[in-house]
Amino acid sequence: MENFDTYQTPLSSRYASKEMAYLFSPANRFRAWRKLWLSLAIAEKELGLSIPDEAIEQMKANLDLDAAQFEIAAQEEKKRRHDVMAHVHTFGQVAPAAAGIIHLGATSCYVTDNADLIFIREALTFLLKKLAVVIDRFSAFAAQYRDLPTLGFTHFQPAQLTTVGKRATLWLQELLWDLRNIKRARDDIGFRGVKGTTGTQASFLALFDGDHEKVEELDRRVTELSGFGYAYPVTSQTYSRKIDVDVLAPLASLGATAHKLATDLRLLANLKEVEEPFESTQIGSSAMAYKRNPMRSERICSLSRHLMVLHQNALMTSSVQWFERTLDDSANRRITLPEAFLTADIVLTTLQNVSEGLVVYPKVIARRIAQELPFMATENIIMAMVKQGGDRQEAHEKIRVLSHEAGHQVKALGLENDLIDRVKADSYFDPIKGQLDELLEPKSFIGRAPEQVDKFLKEWVQPALADEELKASIQQGEKAELHV
């Protein structure tokens, strides 16, 4: 028997959280349809249509489907080739007093589209809470390593020093933007409401004998019963598929953030400066037993590319909706929308797992700094000589010659950088030799990086995570466990 409590794909069934998988499951989808039919019946009854109390009570008592009802619905759909009508029939069997009024005046998109909007809003809320936990974990990492010098890279070539914590704030800033964008998308979600076959509400106007005010109140009341603050003022048969574009855009953007972050971690793993979690019994390679492959970060990159691409589906689907609707959106959306949220969910779970177990190797970082710092210190050495009365151009020429000699040692002979030894051996630099240790202190090359970390965490991260909606999830958040 199929498991109707989870959304089943090779991706979701193995990796997605139970909450997100359930949200897009057949069990939850068809329960949402029944709640929408109930809300419609309640509102129609309140506005004067003859709907018996027994019908309402039977509908309330049968919102959940059991295995037998799923089987009935499957057989009905096979016969009718229409999923909504199959479920209207199935609901009527367990709520016979309501069989004649279920779906009264509505079109299929009353349940399918409104349910999708409910799921989208709930899924965005779920992602917001997971993202807040990820931000909290990386902010702790940034604070811990706020002043640990590390070699910066531009073009993946050695550049001026930064700190491990400052680099993490670059990731955090993009994650904060993702938090903002997802929240904006969530808060902007409206309800399709009660609009009819082409959005004119003609069927409901007929039900209420031409009473426009009652039709408007029906739309407002069903929207309220469904937990939404407003309904889209105009629709066609469907809500505009541009809403899907607006929803998947911040998820695709999150994918870009996650991919960049995970790529940085993969490069750092190659440098042996920072590594993602690696269990004591974990195997990195079936052939090369010594390997510690960054498979979590690689998984993040892989899934993030998928997440970014899904946005293109929404764009293309929105662009080809003819007039009041065309059905070529349906099959695509049934895959695209759940997969986007399930993928984002897995990416965030994996990011959290990585953030909670990052291992930093300060001695490896210090060794790499020591290999490059002599070249970076040349300007400081020149300035120190000038302060002692030396000539700037002469000092520059001396350093240039010694730097090239040291570079030859490193590149051509594979030896260590001996520039400082060469400076110490040259009598020209006698006036500043006592200052060389101070001039070569890595922390003198990191600028305001530690202060930038402190200010960023205090003024940007902490206020963002102080939102009451997010605080509980951060405080209750357990460590993220991954399945292989």
Side-chain angles (χ1 to χ4, degrees), residues 17-293:
S17 64
K18 292 180 180 179
E19 296 87 348
M20 191 67 84
Y22 174 73
L23 182 59
F24 290 99
S25 67
N28 190 51
R29 175 170 297 278
F30 300 134
R31 187 179 197 278
W33 288 9
R34 290 186 175 189
K35 287 180 69 176
L36 286 162
W37 282 319
L38 172 62
S39 295
L40 180 62
I42 290 172
E44 288 175 337
K45 179 179 174 63
E46 289 175 352
L47 290 167
L49 294 189
S50 180
I51 296 175
D53 291 339
E54 185 181 8
I56 300 295
E57 293 308 312
Q58 286 184 3
M59 293 173 79
K60 287 181 178 178
N62 290 280
L63 293 177
D64 293 302
L65 289 76
D66 58 22
Q69 291 179 62
F70 271 107
E71 182 60 31
I72 292 170
Q75 293 303 317
E76 287 293 325
E77 185 173 354
K78 185 180 295 185
K79 179 171 62 176
R80 302 172 189 272
R81 308 302 297 175
H82 198 291
D83 55 351
V84 173
M85 288 309 299
H87 279 273
V88 168
H89 175 85
T90 304
F91 197 13
Q93 288 201 3
V94 294
I101 58 91
I102 294 171
H103 201 65
L104 182 59
T107 188
S108 297
C109 287
Y110 167 69
V111 288
T112 58
D113 274 33
N114 282 321
D116 280 343
L117 291 166
I118 291 169
F119 302 149
I120 287 170
R121 191 174 67 166
E122 290 183 12
L124 288 170
T125 298
F126 186 66
L127 291 181
L128 280 173
K129 294 177 179 179
K130 294 196 76 167
L131 178 53
V133 175
V134 171
I135 292 171
D136 176 73
R137 303 301 193 260
F138 274 110
S139 66
F141 177 83
Q144 181 178 356
Y145 296 103
R146 59 183 287 281
D147 61 353
L148 179 61
T150 189
L151 191 64
F153 291 97
T154 58
H155 315 275
F156 201 32
Q157 300 298 313
Q160 195 172 47
L161 299 191
T162 182
T163 69
V164 173
K166 171 61 193 302
R167 180 176 282 149
T169 64
L170 302 180
W171 306 332
L172 278 165
Q173 182 166 247
E174 295 192 3
L175 291 170
L176 285 180
W177 291 334
D178 294 320
L179 189 76
R180 174 202 65 191
N181 294 343
I182 292 172
K183 188 174 188 300
R184 282 178 180 171
R186 191 276 307 269
D187 293 347
D188 195 47
I189 294 291
F191 200 55
R192 175 193 176 273
V194 179
K195 297 297 197 297
T197 54
T198 58
T200 66
Q201 298 176 310
S203 58
F204 297 104
L205 193 62
L207 276 176
F208 290 103
D209 299 320
D211 191 328
H212 289 268
E213 289 185 1
K214 283 191 174 182
V215 174
E216 288 190 6
E217 177 59 19
L218 178 71
D219 198 6
R220 189 204 66 78
R221 180 64 174 136
V222 172
T223 299
E224 179 184 56
L225 288 171
S226 301
F228 282 76
Y230 82 103
Y232 296 118
V234 293
T235 74
S236 60
Q237 186 175 102
T238 70
Y239 71 77
S240 170
R241 297 313 183 214
K242 195 168 181 65
I243 301 302
D244 296 343
V245 174
D246 291 346
V247 166
L248 294 195
L251 300 192
S253 185
L254 170 64
T257 300
H259 199 293
K260 183 265 190 295
L261 195 164
T263 299
D264 282 355
L265 290 176
R266 292 166 67 186
L267 294 171
L268 288 168
N270 175 263
L271 298 174
K272 298 180 175 60
E273 292 187 0
V274 180
E275 288 184 342
E276 65 178 36
F278 196 92
E279 279 76 23
S280 60
T281 56
Q282 183 174 332
I283 296 174
S285 167
S286 62
M288 295 167 280
Y290 61 88
K291 293 196 76 177
R292 294 169 66 94
N293 298 332

